[in-house]
């Protein structure tokens, strides 16, 4: 069965064919470690995790690399603001990021730090200068977009009138496509952050970092590069130009970009002060996996409108799964053990450009399939969870202390039902609800109480 992925390069869904049979090289733009990552950033990290899990489910071996941007305009400013050395600041936020990734059940990629790969960047810049694609100016070394073949193709920028202007900042918009900085010569603003190298004293621009790290880890030509849609320009546009200028060959075969996470009022961003971090979700009474479930419900290329209400709905669904899984482990129902069709349905969904909402539907149809043998059902759900990553194997019964008066009411209700006094039984059920518990009637297992 073929895996298909939407490729931003061609704006088409394409059959995925790895460069080396059975193996996949994949690079994901990681965090700029100057502050907490918000849940919008984690939507991109989850996308990379889902792709990796889906490819592994198809028996492909994925070598997944992610970077830490631990030197750029933002990190330098951040360290000066917090009064910490660059290393102290970035290590602090690296640790928090890794913990958040763990709590979202994201399989750890291999992490590379920009500051550990300066030599590789210098090597690429030297070649670009030699080829005449990069040039020295008074404040840095710049990439000449007019010397680059097909600059901006991925961003749909086909006609660029070269204004011969330069931009030193790492971030800028499409209307501002200019020669960009590969290496920024030292200025006082950078404090003690600099490297003395063959191309001068200074520090790298943001874009060259990802070219250098991905090439050093995966080679000059690899399979998949992922990131959020907001990275298509300028970051990925520049990555392609630098890398292909350096190697003279195609850089990446498939570019996969994830949709943005928005709030009702619009974009979530640090500068607008309206962001949610993983810690914020925990403070609101959620676990990070509720957020993972929420992300599964929307196709990765579509925008996701986030609200605490939608997260609450995801939490309720997640808890329902937990209860069912725990019950399923105790059950010994006989039944159908033929799962081939369901497994194929699931595989079809994930291989169709990672249609996870559809895969989740298949998951729920197995959850609610009463005619299947319990053990088979459980192992099929665990198998699907290799891709969904909801942590089914770790789901444990929560110790709930039910107050004695509530237990007494439950007994009273059972008696009323036995005597066919249904109105009375319903009234007792309502009393139990007022005390914060709902009754789930579980057939022959008898009723069970759970907190609302
Ligand atoms: Zn990047």
């Amino acid at each position: 069965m073929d895996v298909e992925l939407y490729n931003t390069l061609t704006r088409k869904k394409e059959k995925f064919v790895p460069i080396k049979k059975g193996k996949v090289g994949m690079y994901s733009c990681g965090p700029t470690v100057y502050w907490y990552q918000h849940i919008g950033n984690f939507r991109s990290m989850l996308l990379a995790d889902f792709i990796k899990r889906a490819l592994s489910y198809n028996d492909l071996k994925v070598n997944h690399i992610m970077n830490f941007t631990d030197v750029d305009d933002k990190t330098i400013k951040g360290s000066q603001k917090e009064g910490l050395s660059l290393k102290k600041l970035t290590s602090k936020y690296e640790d928090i990021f890794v913990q958040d990734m763990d709590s979202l059940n994201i399989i750890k990629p291999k992490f590379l730090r920009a500051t550990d790969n300066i030599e590789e960047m210098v090597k690429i810049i030297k070649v670009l200068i030699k080829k005449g694609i990069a040039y020295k100016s008074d404040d840095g070394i710049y990439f000449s977009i007019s010397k680059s073949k097909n600059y901006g193709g991925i961003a749909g920028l086909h006609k660029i009138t070269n204004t011969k202007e330069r931009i030193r900042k790492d971030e800028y918009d499409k209307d501002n496509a200019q020669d960009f900085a590969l290496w920024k010569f030292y200025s006082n603003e950078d404090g003690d952050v600099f490297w003395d190298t063959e191309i001068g004293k200074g520090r790298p621009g943001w874009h060259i970092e990802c070219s250098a790290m991905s090439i050093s880890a995966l080679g000059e030509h690899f399979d998949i590069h992922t990131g959020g849609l907001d990275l298509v320009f300028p970051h990925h546009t520049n990555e392609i130009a630098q890398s292909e200028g350096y190697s003279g060959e195609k850089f990446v075969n498939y570019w996969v970009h994830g949709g943005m996470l928005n709030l009702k009022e619009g974009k979530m961003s640090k500068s607008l002060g309206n962001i949610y971090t993983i810690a914020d979700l925990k403070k609101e009474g959620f676990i990070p996996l509720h957020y993972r479930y929420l992300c599964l419900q929307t196709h990765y290329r579509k925008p996701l409108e986030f609200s605490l209400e939608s997260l609450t709905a995801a939490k309720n669904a997640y808890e329902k799964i937990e209860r069912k899984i725990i019950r399923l482990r105790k059950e010994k129902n006989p039944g159908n053990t033929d799962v081939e069709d369901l497994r194929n349905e699931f595989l079809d969904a994930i291989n169709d450009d990672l249609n996870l909402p559809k895969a989740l539907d298949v998951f729920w149809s197995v959850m609610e399939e009463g005619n299947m043998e319990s053990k088979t059902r459980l192992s099929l759900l665990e198998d699907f969870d290799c891709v969904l990553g909801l942590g089914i194997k770790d789901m444990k019964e929560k110790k709930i202390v039910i107050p004695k008066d509530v237990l007494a009411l439950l007994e009273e209700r059972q008696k009323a039902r036995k005597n066919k006094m249904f109105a009375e039984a319903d009234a007792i059920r309502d009393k139990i609800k007022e005390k914060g518990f709902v009754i789930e009637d579980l057939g022959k297992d008898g009723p069970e109480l759970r907190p609302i």
Side-chain angles (χ1 to χ4, degrees):
M1 204 176 286
D2 292 338
V3 179
E4 289 198 324
L5 284 171
Y6 182 87
N7 191 349
T8 313
L9 266 185
T10 56
R11 304 282 196 273
K12 264 192 254 158
K13 221 166 21 174
E14 290 177 2
K15 178 181 165 184
F16 176 71
V17 184
I19 297 167
K20 279 187 202 139
K21 204 173 175 237
K23 287 182 180 173
V24 182
M26 178 164 121
Y27 184 88
S28 302
C29 284
T32 302
V33 276
Y34 73 115
W35 207 64
Y36 300 92
Q37 296 298 298
H38 61 63
I39 55 171
N41 303 130
F42 281 113
R43 190 180 181 206
S44 291
M45 307 306 160
L46 281 166
L47 167 62
D49 191 54
F50 291 135
I51 297 174
K52 178 164 58 176
R53 286 169 178 267
L55 294 173
S56 305
Y57 195 80
N58 280 277
D59 297 325
L60 292 160
K61 203 169 177 303
V62 185
N63 183 12
H64 185 205
I65 310 292
M66 185 180 282
N67 70 293
F68 287 128
T69 296
D70 61 347
V71 57
D72 77 326
D73 297 351
K74 286 180 184 166
T75 42
I76 292 174
K77 260 193 208 132
S79 73
Q80 290 163 352
K81 212 170 136 194
E82 289 203 26
L84 295 171
S85 68
L86 186 66
K87 184 74 197 162
K88 275 218 166 113
L89 176 99
T90 56
S91 313
K92 174 180 158 185
Y93 290 110
E94 271 175 25
D95 290 349
I96 294 169
F97 175 78
V98 171
Q99 283 164 22
D100 286 347
M101 293 272 277
D102 273 346
S103 71
L104 285 162
N105 209 12
I106 293 174
I107 299 168
K108 255 194 221 89
K110 186 178 168 206
F111 290 113
L112 294 180
R113 285 188 193 93
T115 54
D116 294 334
N117 286 273
I118 301 289
E119 253 176 63
E120 193 68 29
M121 296 171 207
V122 171
K123 185 175 134 194
I124 295 174
I125 296 169
K126 272 172 66 185
V127 172
L128 292 174
I129 296 173
K130 209 171 162 193
K131 287 188 170 181
I133 311 171
Y135 60 92
K136 243 183 204 184
S137 88
D138 48 354
D139 67 348
I141 298 170
Y142 284 81
F143 184 90
S144 169
I145 59 176
S146 63
K147 299 275 169 57
S148 165
K149 275 186 207 152
N150 307 321
Y151 179 84
I154 192 169
L157 292 178
H158 296 295
K159 280 184 204 157
I160 295 175
T161 42
N162 182 28
T163 55
K164 290 201 173 150
E165 282 178 36
R166 291 189 294 268
I167 188 138
R168 189 174 158 91
K169 274 195 308 188
D170 286 331
E171 282 182 284
Y172 46 94
D173 55 38
K174 263 194 205 177
D175 298 330
N176 227 348
Q178 296 171 30
D179 289 356
F180 58 91
L182 297 165
W183 187 257
K184 303 180 185 190
F185 291 146
Y186 181 73
S187 84
N188 288 338
E189 281 176 7
D190 292 347
D192 60 356
V193 181
F194 63 84
W195 284 263
D196 250 325
T197 71
E198 286 172 68
I199 53 169
K201 176 178 168 179
R203 59 156 174 117
W206 171 36
H207 315 293
I208 192 70
E209 297 182 2
C210 280
S211 285
M213 284 183 273
S214 56
I215 288 174
S216 79
L218 299 168
E220 290 167 8
H221 179 210
F222 60 92
D223 298 295
I224 302 176
H225 196 308
T226 77
L229 259 184
D230 55 340
L231 292 184
V232 175
F233 189 89
H235 189 49
H236 292 163
T237 301
N238 292 352
E239 260 191 64
I240 294 172
Q242 296 158 162
S243 308
E244 297 189 352
Y246 166 73
S247 71
E249 61 171 312
K250 190 172 184 177
F251 178 40
V252 173
N253 284 352
Y254 303 86
W255 286 83
V256 185
H257 290 101
M260 297 287 99
L261 181 99
N262 298 316
L263 299 173
K264 264 193 195 123
E265 60 265 32
K267 208 185 152 196
M268 187 184 322
S269 83
K270 194 186 172 214
S271 55
L272 296 172
N274 61 355
I275 67 163
Y276 284 98
T277 62
I278 295 294
D280 291 331
L281 299 189
K282 286 183 187 164
K283 263 184 240 153
E284 297 282 346
F286 298 99
I287 60 165
L289 290 176
H290 298 152
Y291 178 64
R292 184 176 179 109
Y293 185 88
L294 180 78
C295 289
L296 281 169
Q297 291 175 300
T298 302
H299 191 270
Y300 79 87
R301 283 197 283 125
K302 288 191 182 145
L304 195 165
E305 193 179 282
F306 176 83
S307 66
L308 288 180
E309 292 76 48
S310 60
L311 188 60
T312 303
K315 176 187 179 186
N316 291 340
Y318 186 87
E319 290 179 344
K320 196 170 172 192
I321 296 171
E322 276 182 313
R323 289 193 296 275
K324 286 216 172 195
I325 292 292
I326 287 157
R327 208 177 302 151
L328 213 46
R329 283 191 198 134
K330 294 178 191 164
E331 263 179 27
K332 280 196 177 75
N333 281 355
N336 182 14
T337 54
D338 182 13
V339 297
E340 221 32 52
D341 286 352
L342 284 159
R343 203 192 291 273
N344 285 337
E345 226 182 293
F346 183 82
L347 194 61
D348 272 346
I350 61 163
N351 287 358
D352 178 15
D353 190 27
L354 214 64
N355 191 341
L356 293 168
K358 203 168 164 193
L360 203 55
D361 283 347
V362 183
F363 177 89
W364 273 102
S365 68
V366 175
M367 288 273 288
E368 275 151 9
E369 167 62 272
N371 294 326
M372 196 186 285
E373 198 236 342
S374 310
K375 225 174 143 189
T376 311
R377 223 164 122 193
L378 191 61
S379 66
L380 187 59
L381 291 169
E382 282 176 355
D383 177 61
F384 291 170
D385 204 40
C386 295
V387 179
L388 307 178
L390 296 170
I392 281 186
K393 280 192 175 153
D394 300 324
M395 285 178 177
K396 284 188 188 79
E397 206 153 356
K398 286 179 195 137
K399 281 221 160 118
I400 304 162
V401 183
I402 300 166
K404 273 185 186 163
D405 59 332
V406 178
L407 282 172
L409 281 171
L410 182 67
E411 211 170 294
E412 244 180 77
R413 176 180 175 267
Q414 289 313 94
K415 264 186 210 158
R417 278 173 69 94
K418 215 173 165 189
N419 297 328
K420 299 202 177 355
M421 294 154 71
F422 295 114
E424 204 166 300
D426 286 352
I428 300 170
R429 185 195 57 205
D430 293 343
K431 260 195 215 168
I432 291 175
K433 206 170 173 187
E434 275 168 35
K435 290 186 181 285
F437 289 87
V438 285
I439 302 170
E440 287 208 328
D441 287 305
L442 304 174
K444 63 179 179 2
D445 291 342
E448 202 173 81
L449 289 167
R450 66 170 174 88
I452 294 169

